Amino acid sequence: MNRRQFATSLGASLILAPFINFLNGTSRADSKKGAKRLIVFFCPNGTVHKFWRPSGTETSFIFPAASVLEPLTPHQKDVIVLEGIDFIGVNNHEAGMHNMLTAGGDVNSIGKGASVDQFVASALGQTTRFPSLEFGVETSAWGGNVQTRMSYSAPGSFVTPEDNPVAAFNRLFAAGDADAARLLRRRKSTLDLIRAEIADLETRLGSQERQKLDQHLDALRRTEQGLGVTAGCTPPAAPMALDNYDHHNFPTIGKSHMDLLVTALSCDMTRVASIQYSHTVGPHVFSWVGQSQGHHDLSHIDDSNTAGVANFIKCENWYAQQFAYLLSRLKATPELAGGTLFDNTLVVWAKELGDSRLHTCQSVPWVLAGGGGYFRTGRYLKYQGAPHQQLLTSVCQAVGMTNDRFGDATRGTGPLPGLV
C-alpha cells in the first residue's frame, strides 16, 4: 500500500500523520515526548553575565540572590539555562535582532528566511484560527525596521506585533459567536470529509495496525467533542485603554498581553505565540523599579560604575519576574485533556546580544522552559561557542518537526547536543 499517497489526499496528512508515522516506523512520539505549543519571550539589550549566571553545576545550581534569574527559583526544575551560545559571524544590536530567530536563513535555507516561530507556525498553525499571535510592548514607536522586529515570514517581511491590548482583545474575542460557530463546524467536519479514505485504509490493514488506527480515531473524536470549548471560550476581562507608548504603562500592558496569550492558547485559537518587550536599543525607562535612565543607556554602563550596573540588573530581574509570571500562568491553566498548558508547551526566552557593553553576540543568554518532556530540564548547560542554529533546530524538533537544520547551515547543523 502506498501510504504516502494516502497521507497527502484530502488533507488526511493533518489528521492521520501520527498514525502514518507509526506505520512507517518514523514517529518520534513513540520514544520521546514533545510540546504541542511554542511561546517566544523576548527582552532586549543583552546582559551582564556575572549577574546572570547561576551558581553551581549542571544539575545542582542556584540562582543567586538579587541576580537576574533569581525570580526563576520556583521554576528551577522546569527550565534549562544555556550559556555559551553564539550568533556566529554576527555582532551589534541590529544584526543580533535580525539573526536571533532567523539564524541568518535565506530563501534557500530550510526556513526560507522565516523566523523560527513562523516556521513552526507553518506546521502547528494549519488547523487553528490564528497560525500565530504576536504581542508587543512598546515595539512600534520607531516603526517597523530591523531594530524593532524579531519575527519574519520571509526575508525582509516583518511580522508586526500588536502593542495595543484593546486591539488584541478585540481581534481575539470580538468576532462574535457566528464566526466561532462557523469555525467549529468547519473543524468538526474534517473527519467526515475523509471518512471514505479511512474506511479504505482499514480494509488494507492487519489486525494490530487496525487496532492502532481505531485508537487514534477515538482520540480524534474525543478532541472534536472538546472543540466546543473554543467556540464558547470565556474571554478574560477586557483590558483598559491605555497610552501604548507611555513607559509608565509598560508593566500593565505586558501583563495584559501575557494574560491574552495564555487565554488564546487555552482556547486553541493558536499554538504559536510570542511576546516582545520593546526592541533592541529600547529606550524605555523602568520608573516602576526606581529608575530614571533609559534601559539601553543602562545596558552600556561598564563595571567601574557599580551603582549603574546594579540599576541595569534590577531591570533585568524585573524581566525575569515577567517570564516567571508567564510560566506560572501556564501552570495554573488546565489542559482540556488533563494536566496544564505548561505540560505541553515550550517557552523560549531569547535575547539579541550577549554582553551588552561590548555589542557582541557571543554567549547570548537563552532559557528554555517546559517542552512537553522532550528536553531534560532542571539544568544549567555551558557551551563553548555553540551556534544558535543548532539551538533553533532543537526548538523545531521539540515541537514535532523533523528538520535537521535551521537558518544558515554553513554556521551549524543538527540539534544542540546535550538537551535531550
Side-chain angles (χ1 to χ4, degrees):
M1 176 183 181
N2 189 332
R3 292 173 180 136
R4 289 187 178 179
Q5 286 183 341
F6 172 78
T8 56
S9 69
L10 291 177
S13 59
L14 294 177
I15 295 295
L16 296 177
F19 177 71
I20 299 300
N21 286 339
F22 164 78
L23 295 180
N24 289 329
T26 59
S27 175
R28 189 204 67 202
D30 290 337
S31 59
K32 177 63 70 174
K33 296 180 180 180
K36 298 190 297 187
R37 307 179 190 86
L38 172 67
I39 301 173
V40 177
F41 177 101
F42 167 81
C43 64
N45 297 328
T47 195
V48 179
H49 287 98
K50 66 182 179 181
F51 295 110
W52 174 83
R53 292 186 181 102
S55 297
T57 63
E58 175 182 337
T59 58
S60 180
F61 63 91
I62 63 168
F63 300 119
S67 68
V68 170
L69 298 181
E70 182 188 12
L72 300 190
T73 299
H75 305 286
Q76 182 172 330
K77 67 180 180 61
D78 298 313
V79 304
I80 306 175
V81 179
L82 301 174
E83 183 176 349
I85 306 295
D86 290 358
F87 299 0
I88 305 295
V90 175
N91 279 311
N92 218 326
H93 287 282
E94 291 81 2
M97 192 73 179
H98 175 260
N99 278 267
M100 178 180 66
L101 298 183
T102 65
D106 59 21
V107 292
N108 297 313
S109 64
I110 284 181
K112 300 187 183 302
S115 51
V116 70
D117 58 314
Q118 297 304 299
F119 180 62
V120 169
S122 69
L124 298 190
Q126 295 182 27
T127 60
T128 56
R129 180 178 165 197
F130 303 102
S132 65
L133 288 170
E134 292 74 36
F135 300 89
V137 190
E138 290 190 33
T139 66
S140 297
W142 296 1
N145 57 65
V146 72
Q147 285 189 332
T148 65
R149 299 293 179 256
M150 68 177 188
S151 293
Y152 291 78
S153 59
S157 297
F158 305 128
V159 179
T160 302
E162 177 55 70
D163 282 1
N164 185 340
V166 174
F169 177 87
N170 290 337
R171 184 185 179 203
L172 293 175
F173 299 107
D177 291 339
D179 285 348
R182 282 194 294 272
L183 174 66
L184 181 61
R185 287 194 299 271
R186 186 163 62 248
R187 295 174 70 185
K188 282 191 171 182
S189 67
T190 304
L191 274 179
D192 292 334
L193 291 175
I194 62 169
R195 192 172 301 281
E197 283 79 4
I198 294 173
D200 179 65
L201 176 61
E202 286 181 312
T203 65
R204 299 166 183 258
L205 298 177
S207 59
Q208 289 186 337
E209 291 178 328
R210 189 159 53 247
Q211 183 179 11
K212 287 287 186 180
L213 176 61
D214 289 342
Q215 291 173 355
H216 182 67
L217 294 178
D218 286 343
L220 287 172
R221 291 187 183 100
R222 288 195 298 271
T223 299
E224 283 192 317
Q225 292 170 0
L227 289 177
V229 175
T230 301
C233 187
T234 302
M240 296 184 298
L242 300 170
D243 182 346
N244 301 326
Y245 301 109
D246 181 342
H247 74 266
H248 295 291
N249 296 329
F250 199 88
T252 302
I253 289 173
K255 184 174 181 295
S256 293
H257 277 320
M258 285 192 286
D259 290 340
L260 289 171
L261 184 158
V262 171
T263 300
L265 293 180
S266 69
C267 295
D268 203 30
M269 293 178 174
T270 191
R271 292 169 193 163
V272 179
S274 62
I275 180 160
Q276 177 183 333
Y277 277 93
S278 189
H279 49 77
T280 194
V281 197
H284 45 294
V285 179
F286 283 67
S287 58
W288 53 93
V289 293
Q291 303 306 306
S292 59
Q293 195 169 356
H295 187 259
H296 175 245
D297 290 343
L298 287 173
S299 73
H300 288 306
I301 292 175
D302 63 36
D303 289 338
S304 65
N305 184 345
T306 56
V309 171
N311 286 335
F312 178 56
I313 299 308
K314 288 179 183 178
C315 300
E316 294 302 288
N317 179 277
W318 182 85
Y319 274 133
Q321 294 174 42
Q322 310 319 297
F323 187 72
Y325 174 80
L326 177 59
L327 300 187
S328 295
R329 287 283 285 110
L330 292 167
K331 290 179 178 181
T333 304
E335 185 82 89
L336 182 64
T340 71
L341 288 185
F342 182 80
D343 296 334
N344 297 297
T345 302
L346 172 61
V347 190
V348 179
W349 182 359
K351 278 180 168 285
E352 87 288 20
L353 286 178
D355 190 312
S356 54
R357 287 82 58 84
L358 302 177
H359 285 94
T360 63
C361 295
Q362 281 76 57
S363 195
V364 178
W366 294 82
V367 178
L368 305 178
Y374 185 75
F375 298 132
R376 289 186 290 124
T377 57
R379 294 189 297 153
Y380 168 35
L381 298 179
K382 302 178 184 179
Y383 294 89
Q384 300 295 324
H388 87 297
Q389 284 82 4
Q390 292 183 326
L391 171 58
L392 297 188
T393 299
S394 292
V395 167
C396 293
Q397 293 182 358
V399 295
M401 304 182 77
T402 58
N403 51 296
D404 64 354
R405 63 195 65 198
F406 184 81
D408 183 354
T410 67
R411 305 298 189 184
T413 60
L416 187 64
L419 288 181
V420 297

